[in-house]
Every structure is written in C-alpha cells, then in structure tokens.
Amino acid sequence: MTDERGRVPLALVGVALLVASAGVASHVSLAAPQATTPDTDAAAREATVLARLAVADGATRAARAAAAHPVVAPAGPYGDALRADHAFRDALRLRTYAAVRRALANTTTRRGDVTATVALPGIDSPADAERAIGRVHLAERADGGTNVTVTGLRLTLRRDGRVVSRETTAVTVAVATPVLGLHDRVADYAARLDAGPLDGPGLGRRLTARATVVAWGRGWAQYGGAPVANVLATRHVAVTTNAAVLGVQRETLGRADARATTRYRRAAVETGVQDLLGPSAGAVGGAPASPGLPGDAAGTLLGEKKAVSVDVNATADRAFLALDEDLDGVFRDTYRGRIRVETAATTLSTRRVNATAARAGVTAAERGPAVATPGGFVRLATRHRRVRTVRRVGNASLATTSLVTVAVVGRAAPDGRAPDRALVDQPTGLLRDASNAVVRARGGVDTLARRAADGGASTTAATVPLSVPENARKVAVRNVTRLHDRLTRALSTTLSPGAGLDANPRRRLADRLAEQRAALVDAPARYRSLDARAATAARAAYLDAVVERLRGETGGFDAVRRVVAAHADQPLAAATARPERTANASAGDSPVLSVRGTPSYLSTSRVDGRYPLATRNTNLFTVPYADAGDAVADAVVPDPPADASLASAVTTLRALDGVRGNATLRERRAALRSDVAAATDRLRPPLVDALARRTTLTEDARRAAVDAAFARYDGPAVTATAAVNGSLASTVAREAAARGADAPGLRIALRVALREARRTRGRVPGGRVTDARRSAQTALSAVTAEGANRIGDAAKREAAHRVADAGERVLGEKLDDAAARRAAKQRLAQLPAGLPIAPVPGYWYATANAWVVSARGGYERVAVTARTHTPGNDSLTYVRQNETVRVDVDGDGAREVVGRNEEVTFSVSTVVVVVVPPGPRGVGDTDGNADERSTGW
C-alpha cells in the first residue's frame, strides 16, 4: 500500500517564498498569540508557511486521487456523510481534509524553547467525516484551477511543553488542478449520453437526426426503385449511434476520441460500400475517409435528404365539386338589385262640381312633373298620369285635377365574397324585369299615381333578386375550373426529413393560400358586368372553401402517432419533436487534451465477453394497409390488416410476376389476381353515376363510355394501376366527350368519384395480400440469405453456387451469385409497405412509415485527460469505470469504502419517421424482418 502521508521537512521553510513561482497562491488568517516574544512570533510564522504548503500538497494529491477514482455514488458507512447529488465534491472535500491532516503531521517547528504545531481534528466516525467535509471549501477559478479553503486549523504554541497560545485559523490556497471543471464536463457527457429526444441536447436528438438522414435517404431510394429491402438495418443503427456518441463527446468535452473517430470513419465507409454493392461486398480494409466524415458520413454515404412535396390537388377537387353544387348561393348574393319608385305630382285645377258630375279617375298623360334620377341608378321606366280626385267639403264636392309622374330607377346591389368595385354597365334588362314585379306588387302605376296625387311626392325602395342569365353559370364554372387547374399545378409545400409527426403541411398550404388570396381572386379595378362580378365571387368562394377544408384537415399522422405511442418506450418522443443539432464545445476553450474510451468503437459484436452496443429497430408498418384509419384499432397494428388497398394489392401482384415458388405461392398469386380483377370491376358503377350527375348523356351512352375506357387497358392489373394513379378518370372523361358530353369540370368530378370508389369499393382482403407477400419473401429470402460473407475461398465458392442455384429456382434465370442476390433484393424492394396518409377520406397525399430505434451500451473505461499548467506534471486524467472507491479517512493506513465509481452507459429510444409521395410501392422493410435486433439485445 502506498503511503500518502505528507512529509514536509523544515528545510522547506527557507524556500517558502518559492510557492508563488510554483503556481500556488495563498492567504492565511491568523490571530496574534498572547504574550508574544521573538521566539513565539518566529515559530508561528514558520508553522503558518508549513500549513500553507501542507494544504496545497494535500489538495493536489486529493484532486489527482479523486480524478483517478471519482466517487459517482456514495457507499459504505463513510458514504453516509456524502450528499447523493454532490457525491464527487463531498468525497473530494473529505479526501482533501484527510490528505491535509496527514501532511500536517510533520509540521512542528521550534524557535528557542518554543515549539509550534498546526493540526486538524481526527476522524473516527461518519459524523466526524461530515464535520470534516464542512471544514473544506472548494471553488472553481476562472482559469480552471481550484481555490481550496481549510478551516478549523489549530495552531498551538508551547514553551517547555506548556501551552502558551492556542488559536483556530483558516488557510486558502489556489491549486492549478481543473478537477472540478473536468468532473462537470464528464458528468455532463454521461448525462447527455443517456438523454432521450425530449430530454434536451444529447444522444437521443443526435441519433434521431442521423438515423432520420439514413432512413429518408434509403427510403427514398427504395421508393425510386433501388433494391432496398431493409431501409434501416442494424448496421445503420450501429454507425449512426457511434456518430451520435462522438458528437456528444465533442459537444461536452470539446474533442472526441481520436481512435474512435478513425474506427467510425472506417465503419461508415464499409456500411456505405455494403449498401452500394450488396451483401457480397466484403469489408473495406484501408478505405479512405471522405472529406465530409465523420460528421456527415451517414448522410454522404447512406442517403441524401429528400422532402415530400404535398399538393392541394385532392382538397381542390373536393372543394370544386362542393362549390359547383352550391353556386346558387354565389348567384343569389351577386344577382341582386335595388329598385326605387319615385313619384311627383302637380295640381292643375280645383273646382266645385255637383254630385252627379263628381267622378274620379286616372288617365294617361303625355307629360308630368320632372323626377331626378339618383346617382348610381339608371332610369328603368317613366309613366305620366292625369289624376282627377273628388272630395266632399260640407254640402259641396270639390274636384282636383293633377299631373303625376311615376319614375322607376334601379341599380345592381350585389353582396357576397367578391371585392367591392364599380360596375361599368348596369344590368338594365335584368333590373327592368325586376322593377315590373316591384311596381305590380305596389298596385301598379295607376295606384301609385293616385297615391301621389293624394299625398304628394314619395319614394319607395326594395332590394330584389335578379334573374340569373343562362350563360352565367357556365362562365363562373369555367373561371373556377381555371383557378382549380392553377392551384393543382403550382401550389404545394414540402414535408422535410425530421419534420416529425406533428407536421401539418395542409395547414401550411392553407396559410399560403390565405396570403395569396387577393392575387388569386384577381378582382379587376372595375367590373365590366354583373357576370364578371359573379365569376370573381365564384373564385373567392372557391378559394375560401379550399382554405376552410385545409384548415379542418389534420396532418394525417394521427394513426401513426397512436401506433408509435403503443410501441415506443417514450410515446411520441422523437416523432413529435423535430430533431435538432446543438453546437459543439470549442476545443480551444476546453482544457481536455484527449479522450480515450475502452473499447474505442462501440461494436454490436462481442468484445472480451461483453457487447459494447446492442440495438433494436422495429418497423411498425411492414404490411400494406388500405389507409391510416384501418391501420389502427385501439392503437394496435393489425397483422394482417382486414383490408388492403387496391394499390397495395396490384403492386404486390406485379412484384410476384416471374417469381417461381411452390404450389402455395402459385395458389396465393392466383387468388390475389382474382381479387384485383373483382375490385377493379367494382369501380365501374360509381363512374357511370358520376357521368349521370354531370352530363346529359343517356344511360346507354354513359355505360358505353366507361366500358370503352376500361377496354383501353390490357387486363385487370393494368386497369387497376390506371385506377390507382388516376389516369383512368381522364380516360373516362375523353370517352364521354367523344359521345357528346360537354360539362365543365367533368374530369375533376370523375377523379373524385374514382378516389371515393377506390376507398369504398376497391379494397381487397388484407389476408390475401399478406399471404402472397410472405410467400414471396420466403422464396426471395432464400436467395439473399445464402452464403453471405463466408470465410475461406472454398466456402465462398460453395456459397456462390448455392446462391446461383437458388436464383435460378426462384427467378428462373441463370445468374451469378451477386446478380441473383441483387435481383432477389430488387423484387423484395418492390413489395409495398407503409401507411397511406389521408387527412380526408379518399385523399392519399403521402405514405409514411416509422421505426422505433433503441440503442444501449457503454464504455468499460473512459479516460479524459486535461491540462493543469503545473510545472513537472501538466496533465490530469479523470477515469470512469466500475469500481469501489476507498479512502484512508481516519489515517490508520487502511482504506475505508466511501463510494462507487461507475461506467459511462446509455440507453435511448427514439422514433424515425419517413414520408414518401403517394405511390403503390410506399416505404418500409420488405424483407420480412420487422423487428431487427443485434446479437447482444
């Protein structure tokens, strides 16, 4: 056992002033002893210098011991004196106290007959240890060093063995050891290494970001036709986890393990080459790292970031049909008029008449008093009347003759969504027709004239509906159709990698439409006619309907969120939080010189009896589903699903073409082909009904148009493909037009009808699709699994022959082993997977899939070395490993247990979501291994 007791010879007293040049600064507070003499003063000064040296020496030794064997958690009887959340600092204070006490044991000085000693109370129990910890104070300095203050030092002066003075004092020294900051950095590193995606910066977020890059790149490659049957494999999780761990090292410690970086670069290159060349590619022994490694190795080699373009098409279609059926409201608001009836009267004569001659009446006149036309109105009609009225005055009768003018004026009074603009031409004809009804409702011209003659000039007004011209509806529909086509061609947004399950591209589209509303409505400075205003109002109403529908639609990820919540350890952790990068600590600001982990690279293989890294990734949607609603029942993924979409069925059927197998595979393929044919045939009646609603074709003509469209495709599988990609709707529209159909928006109506028909009538039994899929996976996996990476030339040749033979049996082609394996993987990759995202029924704007990725592991030993600026020993190494930490607390030479040191380990779980555009293939693991685990899991 090494003797750590400090020995400070008296010869050091003469060189005490060298302490400052050695990097130790001190401050001593001493009370002057009573009855001082030259000898007592000299002895006290020498004892103080030695105490200062003892504190500096003990603190330095304690710091090095604490770094080499840090206490991470208290243990043992003396561990009770440590606070659990400050175990390292309290243990360092206890170590410092014990080391200083040992160093003070040989600091007795003598001057004449006076001796001076400095001592600390002993430690005989955990309670003593707790008091000892309270006598030591540590503070990190701005330069990284540590200020150490020890209180309760007892300075005793004796003359001839008799105590002449006893004082209690404190000593403060500055030691150039960065132990506190180094511990904090390593503790931060360990904490961030175990942080999940929602716990703040750390491994969870970095793993999410890197795994997302890989999964999106490979998922898009699969969608584009590359032979990717396993989007996210164990090798990808291992590489991205190591990259994320090194990122956390740089982030917290200022630099990463150089050996680990080199190993990671090599592993990233090997993984990238294997992805490019397939399983037959061996390890790349001396492959150079690309310039972008290690930070972007995964993104550079394993895939390119892609973004899904989300359009407004289906929502625009549905809003078009809804508006087309409710254009009456637009016309009702637009075709309105304000009719005013103005009357004026003037008296020609009044005379007495006898009773027999007292006749009243109204006759036409050629002239009458003038009536002005109000501003903004047009004169619709002017009628003059001679009115004779008779009234009794006493016993006499008075007859009055008046000239009356009845003038009818009017103007358009539109309301609704169109911006208010001046109208160039008033709809005089429509207003005149409406005014006749207004005059009749008030008794006619004669009645109005009679009233005016009795009561003088008057004005009555009414707002009335105007007749809608026969051509106005067609003009409005054509305007809306052009706007619809403009939106479907030009309006879209993107769903980027890492957008997460809270993404709502529909809401972003609504915001963009709202911002561009004025430009898209495109109201003129003045309306040429009421028809022009009606067309503008129709455009505005259509845009508002599209925006309202978009805002009411979710992002479509609800089902994915529920499934993730049921399968992930942290419900929605990565799926709801966008992964983010955090800035790395500056290496120039960090005192860390090196980081060295054992092992340097976290491999999923066994190393010295243990697995440094274990991974698991579970693909949630490996079988095809009809839509998101069918994929989730009580947050559980049904397998097989009750129904599969026509897209999934026909894609599976086409992937099986040319694949040989046993009788079971042939039977399942035939059954699936029959199901596809039946589902496709069920699409005919809804298309005939759509023609009935939109055209004037006879029933025979409608059926003939649909039959002719179906006949243009070579068989049910090709027809089903046209139904899935929407081209069947355009074909039916052309056949209908050839038979005389002339209906604006017919193509849009047929497209909507086809979508709805696929959703309600075009489904096939999910079990049929799943059974056929699994038969194909079994047959094709026999090719891809044969003889992968055999050791030895003979074994490799034998494996190559087996692969070639299996390829010929399954694929029907004579291929070498590499070509056979690639061809089998190509077929596997063609199998559909993923979850259609449909925020509204029948609208499929993307396909999503999710992987729950988990990684756990750690280092047997982590050593972090930092500079100290101490002459002769300018570095300090902090070590984390599993061990029991012992310290000689009571100075009896035996070490007592005070705590435990622990390895740096981690366990994180995250969710990676990949979204691709709509299409039969989708995205996901299609090799039949949905739950992939490394050997150590």
Side-chain angles (χ1 to χ4, degrees), residues 776-837:
Q777 287 170 337
T778 300
L780 294 169
S781 296
V783 181
T784 60
E786 283 287 358
N789 294 328
R790 293 293 192 269
I791 304 300
D793 293 339
K796 287 182 179 179
R797 284 195 298 270
E798 181 183 352
H801 288 310
R802 285 202 298 270
V803 171
D805 291 344
E808 185 173 1
R809 288 196 309 272
V810 176
L811 302 172
E813 299 180 77
K814 294 187 71 65
L815 302 169
D816 62 31
D817 61 325
R821 190 179 287 112
R822 284 196 297 271
K825 287 183 66 179
Q826 182 77 51
R827 290 302 182 92
L828 281 171
Q830 290 175 2
L831 294 172
L835 184 67
I837 300 301

Side-chain angles (χ1 to χ4, degrees), residues 716-728:
V718 180
T719 308
T721 302
V724 169
N725 63 31
S727 61
L728 178 60

